[in-house]
Amino acid sequence: MPCPSSCPPGLLALMAPGLALMATFSLPSQAGDRRALPVEKPPGVKGRTLILLDVNTKSPVRIISENFLSLQLDPSIIHDGWLDFLSSRRLVTLARGLAPAFLRFAGKRTDFLQFHNVKNPAKSRGGPGPDYYLKNYEDARSLDKLYNFADCSGLHLIFALNALRRNPNNSWNSSNALSLLKYSASKKYNISWELGNEPNNYRTLIGRSVNGSQLGKDYIQLRSLLQLIRTYSRANLYGPNIGRPRKNVIALLEGFMKVAGSTVDAVTWQHYYIDGRVAKVTDFLKTRLLDTLSDQIRKIQKVVNTYTPGKKIWLEGVGATSAGGMNNLSDSYAAGFLWLNTLGLLASQGIDVVVRHSFLDHGHNHLVDQNFNPLPDYWLSLLYKRLIGPKVLAIHVAGLQRKPRPGRVIRDKLRIYAHCTSYHNHNYVRGSITLYIINLHRSRKKIKLAGTLRDKIVHQYLLQPYGKDGLHSKSVQLNGQPLAMVDDGTLPELKPRPLRAGRTLVIPPLTMSFYVVKNVNALACRYR
């Protein structure tokens, strides 16, 4: 199936701007010591300078997947026109901007979808039409459209199979999944697989639960099916995609890991920060909210490392708010503070991949709206992909306050992460370093680069809301210039603002920014 004209065959690998992934250390996660670090004030640094910043350039503290920032499409989108809209040149252009990445096709409707190998199911069944039919069925044509979209965009498709088709003894009924697998194999589709979505919610959905041990057996059954099909004998399998790790969910995960921990290639879970029905813009500025993810990471890592030490962990299905999000909040500039901090925190803690829910038109947590217009978190993600490499670097920070107050350094509301600059970005030589900074203060903050970063030329990428709506804005500006697509096949050039060597970085209030420190020749960043 041909791609839109903006996707010439054979050039997919070259067109992906590259996600070289991350290396990070956030200020709140450093050793737990929040006291001001004793430091002599260097000559020429004025008393009003608040932060002295250096980076360990010798070796990375983490190395994350090249596909670290990945995407999710929710099956709820298959309600209008057989997924034909995925052939949109504009949509492919937007998706390709975030490649390389995984594209996970999963959501609440996953466990109600059934596959039928017919090109026009409504006609063949005499049904009421595609819109009704595709609420509960995935047909061959829809799967073709989905795979072609991922392929043209430079994304690797992960497909979640229906786990709620059950036999009388509560074991998984794999007959429909086998039909889908055989069809995909006949088309030679390169797909990775999952089984179900948030199994801890099955009792709420159908009044019938599946415990961790049974779910583990189901995954072993799926692995056996994959091994019987030559195309998928070595395909990756991910799961169990549990929800927030409360006590009952941890028990489910433990049961799963005992049985199938060695069967999956990565252990997956989901996280949403706020109930979208009651969210306020001030919620996105609360440091306590930003830090809730740290506790969940520790809980998941404890279970995984107990049963399969070293197993990769993914956060699949992450968004600012649950319940589909809230208009003018979870799709606004303000939501970016949570999103960028999530990326930094996960990378610094060694989480291999984070899957953003959703790329397109699901509630208000998406990156692209129903008219295929990119929202603030899309531009933030695009900058991240263009500038951030896979190696996480440790940072060293000292406060230079006029009146030091132990325990009151500005670490909570000023969050700094450091990575090797993306190898795919040919504007910067290897050995360069990218900082990204979240300033939740209502005043500007100043940072003086020290050590190996001292007296280097810096490129600034400052992202601010555009227009009169402020933090509620759905448009952004980069270094004062509004961001918008040039045309359906072209993303805008992301132009930096060069800063002279040795200049203090001035971080405006309530902003997110990236700073590429050029020609550092960092040993950790010279080689892939």
Side-chain angles (χ1 to χ4, degrees), residues 19 21-22 64-70 343 351-354:
L19 151 75
L21 283 221
M22 313 189 352
I64 311 302
S65 168
E66 287 281 336
N67 290 9
F68 176 78
L69 195 168
S70 288
L343 294 172
I351 302 304
D352 198 51
V353 170
V354 53

Side-chain angles (χ1 to χ4, degrees), residues 504-515:
T504 298
L505 307 182
V506 179
I507 317 299
L510 300 176
T511 58
M512 296 165 280
S513 50
F514 296 78
Y515 295 89

Side-chain angles (χ1 to χ4, degrees), residues 68-131:
F68 176 78
L69 195 168
S70 288
L71 308 171
Q72 180 167 330
L73 275 179
D74 196 286
S76 63
I77 67 170
I78 56 174
H79 58 70
D80 186 16
W82 309 96
L83 289 180
D84 283 356
F85 62 88
L86 290 181
S87 299
S88 162
R89 183 186 184 204
R90 183 180 181 89
L91 199 59
V92 169
T93 299
L94 289 166
R96 189 187 301 134
L98 302 182
F102 296 110
L103 179 67
R104 178 178 186 253
F105 187 71
K108 287 185 177 180
R109 195 175 292 176
T110 288
D111 293 301
F112 298 95
L113 287 178
Q114 300 181 54
F115 176 75
H116 281 253
N117 186 6
V118 288
K119 291 295 184 180
N120 194 332
K123 287 183 179 181
S124 66
R125 293 170 55 92
D131 183 68

Side-chain angles (χ1 to χ4, degrees), residues 364-474:
H364 301 285
N365 281 324
H366 43 240
L367 300 181
V368 178
D369 69 18
Q370 60 185 357
N371 297 315
F372 303 165
N373 293 316
L375 293 164
D377 275 7
Y378 176 85
W379 297 115
L380 187 59
S381 301
L382 184 65
L383 277 168
Y384 186 94
K385 287 282 192 176
R386 296 284 177 89
L387 300 175
I388 300 300
K391 295 182 179 179
V392 189
L393 306 177
I395 64 170
H396 305 285
V397 172
L400 297 178
Q401 302 169 355
R402 291 179 178 176
K403 298 179 180 180
R405 292 175 291 175
R408 290 293 301 275
V409 189
I410 59 173
R411 296 184 180 184
D412 282 339
K413 290 193 173 184
L414 188 68
R415 299 180 177 227
I416 307 173
Y417 300 89
H419 306 257
C420 295
T421 303
S422 171
Y423 299 126
H424 299 285
N425 193 322
H426 300 300
N427 293 323
Y428 302 107
V429 299
R430 293 190 180 185
S432 298
I433 288 173
T434 300
L435 309 170
Y436 54 104
I437 302 173
I438 303 167
N439 184 13
L440 296 173
H441 287 273
R442 297 185 181 274
S443 60
R444 66 180 186 174
K445 299 300 173 184
K446 297 187 177 183
I447 297 175
K448 189 71 176 179
L449 301 182
T452 54
L453 309 185
R454 186 177 182 181
D455 296 328
K456 302 295 183 182
I457 295 175
V458 175
H459 279 184
Q460 172 186 277
Y461 297 83
L462 175 62
L463 200 65
Q464 295 174 289
Y466 178 72
K468 61 182 180 180
D469 294 328
L471 294 179
H472 290 275
S473 178
K474 295 183 181 180

Side-chain angles (χ1 to χ4, degrees), residues 234-253:
R234 297 186 178 181
N236 285 333
L237 178 62
Y238 306 111
N241 195 248
I242 56 171
R244 182 175 296 183
R246 298 184 176 94
K247 185 176 181 180
N248 64 314
V249 179
I250 288 294
L252 188 152
L253 179 60

